[in-house]
Amino acid sequence: MWDGKKSACLPITAGVPQGSVLGPLLFSAYTSPISRLISAHGLHHHSYADDTTLWLSVDSNLTTIARLESCSSAIATWYLFNGLQLNPDKSDALLVGTRDGRASVMPSLTSGPSIAGCNIPLSVSTKILGVTFDSALNFDPHISNICKSANYHLKALTHIRNFLSVSSANLIATAIISSRLDYCNSILNGLSTFNLNRLQTIQNRAARIVLGVGRRVSSEPLLRQLHWLPVAKRIQYKTALITFKTLHTHQPSYLSSLLIPYSPSRTLRSSSNNFLTVPKVTTTLQSRSFSVAAPHLWNSLPIPIRLLANFSPPSTGLCPTSSSPIPPNLTTFKHLLKTHLFDLPPSSVT
């Protein structure tokens, strides 16, 4: 419609109107065969709507890069046969690893991989679902983006703070600032002290603005007054919550497969304490992964909190699990977990 005049009606024979409720669901169902296509090439992947991420391990002889290039060509062909189009120019390639590991591969990967016949140069960083990943996985660019965005909104909140009550200011700060600090923060396990302090400075500033106090006032009592967990404890809270939900529902499968209940070779008193097996690691980067950080954090929780989790195996029927999608004791777990983290001294948070 334009200027009160309507165009003629035409039937839709393919696709769905943009912005429709069914759009994301139908698109995911329509493009689901590419998951089997990617797996057939021996690659790992994650898909969210039209955002597909492929990853694989590479070595200095780059024999695995050929599989990536072959897989991307197969995906582009599948798209063409099904009325879609892959835009390789919009793809990013990121080499992740330790400094020595990247240095051993870089001389053989100067031009970057070929995606559907188009050479993609290696990027310094890439954004996946709003999170900026870098080659070293120290998340420096991601933290910088959070601080830049949060400072902008805190400045705007400062201008209108005198016209708001404490509860209204708290609501705005929680919605605009805390949501940015909490978004995907479970991947920040093992974050450097420098970056943690950058995020904590943002939260401290938000607490002072909400309560209308000066910058010289200590932030710790302000956070307790607002019932805000510090940034490091918020990361632990999110990781423990994801672990609890995954143990109960056994979903998603890519996380459930990483959480292995501790089963000693002989019966011990610790056998019934709902411990998880912590894999052995050799590098600091490995210790930050979910498969290591989540069990390590889970085992450090008090026994009453751990016993709330359901360690029973998933159902083998048609349904992926017989458990309820929402754990019945989720509210109790959240309450006990937050109380436990509030009582922990700052020095015990890693």
Side-chain angles (χ1 to χ4, degrees):
M1 178 185 291
W2 175 255
D3 196 21
K5 299 179 180 179
K6 294 182 179 180
S7 63
C9 295
L10 294 174
I12 298 177
T13 59
V16 293
Q18 185 174 1
S20 68
V21 176
L22 286 176
L25 176 61
L26 294 179
F27 181 86
S28 298
Y30 186 73
T31 59
S32 60
I34 66 171
S35 294
R36 297 191 296 272
L37 183 62
I38 295 172
S39 299
H41 285 79
L43 302 183
H44 303 280
H45 75 286
H46 276 303
S47 295
Y48 185 86
D50 61 344
D51 193 332
T52 302
T53 303
L54 309 179
W55 81 90
L56 72 162
S57 299
V58 297
D59 48 29
S60 56
N61 57 21
L62 301 182
T63 55
T64 53
I65 293 296
R67 298 209 314 265
L68 174 63
E69 296 175 346
S70 175
C71 180
S72 64
S73 298
I75 293 175
T77 302
W78 187 92
Y79 279 166
L80 288 176
F81 275 101
N82 290 274
L84 301 174
Q85 183 178 4
L86 174 66
N87 295 320
D89 294 337
K90 294 183 178 181
S91 300
D92 283 333
L94 182 67
L95 181 63
V96 177
T98 61
R99 182 174 59 183
D100 294 338
R102 298 196 308 271
S104 65
V105 176
M106 283 294 293
S108 305
L109 199 60
T110 54
S111 60
S114 175
I115 304 298
C118 179
N119 285 331
I120 304 298
L122 293 178
S123 302
V124 177
S125 62
T126 185
K127 183 173 288 189
I128 304 175
L129 300 180
V131 178
T132 304
F133 291 82
D134 57 278
S135 298
L137 288 185
N138 53 30
F139 294 103
D140 287 345
H142 180 61
I143 303 302
S144 297
N145 292 336
I146 293 177
C147 293
K148 181 179 179 181
S149 176
N151 280 322
Y152 172 82
H153 290 287
L154 283 176
K155 187 175 181 180
L157 179 59
T158 303
H159 291 321
I160 64 173
R161 175 61 187 88
N162 293 334
F163 304 98
L164 301 173
S165 63
V166 173
S167 60
S168 298
N170 188 4
L171 182 63
I172 294 175
T174 301
I176 299 179
I177 306 303
S178 297
S179 62
R180 284 172 166 78
L181 297 178
D182 291 343
Y183 179 69
C184 290
N185 62 346
S186 59
I187 66 174
L188 302 181
N189 282 295
L191 196 66
S192 65
T193 304
F194 172 73
N195 280 329
L196 275 178
N197 289 338
R198 294 171 69 190
L199 295 178
Q200 189 60 56
T201 300
I202 295 295
Q203 189 186 44
N204 294 345
R205 184 186 171 194
R208 293 188 178 102
I209 292 174
V210 169
L211 296 177
V213 299
R215 65 177 64 183
R216 297 185 180 275
V217 179
S218 176
S219 60
E220 185 176 350
L222 302 181
L223 297 178
R224 281 191 168 272
Q225 181 179 345
L226 294 171
H227 211 61
W228 290 358
L229 283 172
V231 171
K233 294 182 179 181
R234 295 172 89 93
I235 295 173
Q236 289 190 335
Y237 178 86
K238 180 66 74 64
T239 303
L241 185 60
I242 292 176
T243 304
F244 175 77
K245 291 181 178 179
T246 303
L247 289 173
H248 182 86
T249 64
H250 305 284
Q251 297 294 328
S253 58
Y254 58 84
L255 291 184
S256 179
S257 62
L258 302 178
L259 302 177
I260 303 174
Y262 171 67
S263 179
S265 56
R266 55 192 180 90
T267 303
L268 301 174
R269 285 184 296 177
S270 60
S271 303
S272 59
N273 288 342
N274 278 11
F275 284 121
L276 293 174
T277 302
V278 181
K280 295 181 179 180
V281 296
T282 56
T283 65
T284 304
L285 196 60
Q286 291 176 337
S287 65
R288 296 173 53 192
S289 64
F290 181 83
S291 61
V292 179
H296 185 270
L297 172 61
W298 181 263
N299 293 345
S300 68
L301 297 177
I303 293 179
I305 298 180
R306 293 200 308 270
L307 292 180
L308 291 174
N310 178 20
F311 271 44
S312 61
S315 172
T316 57
L318 295 177
C319 298
T321 175
S322 59
S323 304
S324 170
I326 300 178
N329 48 4
L330 178 61
T331 303
T332 304
F333 178 82
K334 287 182 177 180
H335 174 73
L336 294 179
L337 177 62
K338 193 169 185 179
T339 301
H340 166 70
L341 293 176
F342 259 118
D343 294 338
L344 283 180
S347 58
S348 63
V349 180
T350 56

